[in-house]
Amino acid sequence: MTVTVPEAVRGIIGKSRLRHDLGTDSLRQANLTKGRHVEKFRAQIRSALATVGDKRLDLDREACELAEWKAWAKAHPCSVGPGDWEAWRECVGQRTAEIRGEGAIWHQDLPIEEGENENLAEGWEFLPGSVQRGNYFRQVAHGEATPVDARHSEYMADKQGKLQARTLADDNRAMKLLLRWLAAENIPPSLESITKKRAQSFAKILPVLANVGPATANKYLSRLSSYWQWLSGVADAAAVNPWRGVALAGARPRDDEKERAFTNGEVARLLSGPATPHMHDLMMLGALTGARLDVIVDLQVGDISADAIQFQSRKRETSERLVPIHPDLKALLERRCAGKKPDEDLFPEWPPVRKAGSMRERSFKASNNFTDYRRKVGVDEVREGHRRALVNFHSFRRWFITRLRHAGVDEPMIAALVGHKQTSITLGIYSDGELIERAAEAVGRLRIPGVNGESIVEPRVIRVRRNRV
């Protein structure tokens, strides 16, 4: 009696197969006595597998190795002989039987011949889940099924540096949610199993499964579609993208559920509250540059010149951009740059994430700290059924844009300052002096409410109410 050791743990166990002599030629007696030995070997293998990762992934990896050998052998018929093919068939058959037999229950009064029922053999009752896993292993090994996440780590490595950390994190979450749903529905986790109908069924349950709203669920669906699109170039089973066009309705929030800009009163409360010096500096830069939190936290001393800040590209911005330094920021930036080299951080209080493989952006802790502070000073707005508040650090960016409009700055200049797509003005590193002067004049129109005697007055807004047809 032998049990094959998975490739992933052969180095740990020290053997490719675990053997025990049952000491009998009787098949019935062998079946009676082998159970405890098989379970002992499986426990040894499970213990080893626990040290290298998820068991399903290891079985998939093992099956994929067998499938790759089969494909190679077919492509190189002169390099393999009948004995090699026989060894391959024996390995696949034995591993399939072992997986199907996991957790099998012995019934002494059920001497049923093998083949009558796939869940019963010689008195052994096989568990349906084990039978399904064994059959799936065989399909993968024969090249008839492709594990849905077999190339996901390769995809993630390819996208590293091309996508933001939060987008990569969404890729991982989307895949984990899909695998969880497939397991719950007893659907084989293969590319071939994901039809358009099943993709739509997954989309419907996704908000409940992930405890998210339609907009976030659609992000996950989009990430799965992106993965399939990448896969189409390396896997025939992904030639048709079942996720294309699959999305949930109701992702657009109503006007009273949209994230918004801070009011003048909220900006004054945030900047006059008991913030730490580095949190106060962070908020000032957000309010007077309109920059996103992640690019502010990533700033280095070399990004600061005498009259402008050089921000790195983010999201749909394809190039770096300049923002003139507001007069109220000059002393702050001089203090933070004093005595530092060009490659030193402007905000060392929030260092880069050091954990290897982490998908968190550097701004993660800064964002959490700001949320705690914002709530502490009473700046908050939540809606029932929504996890996120309608105000966050990005509300400084919205406030910056809104106040520039109220100050009479034209749209092309605002778009250039915040990095929105536009065609007429580009505030890049090669912008001429006249353009920078115009931009500086535009930014200089901003006034922080409650600071330097600036009154706190909310602008009057005309809202157009549309009749619903």
Side-chain angles (χ1 to χ4, degrees), residues 273-311:
T276 60
H278 48 280
M279 177 58 70
H280 185 272
D281 292 351
L282 192 73
M283 293 188 294
M284 285 289 289
L285 275 162
L288 295 177
T289 65
R292 296 180 175 89
L293 176 60
D294 51 349
V295 296
I296 297 176
V297 174
D298 282 345
L299 282 172
Q300 294 184 331
V301 172
D303 296 321
I304 313 301
S305 64
D307 57 356
I309 304 172
Q310 185 79 26
F311 287 110

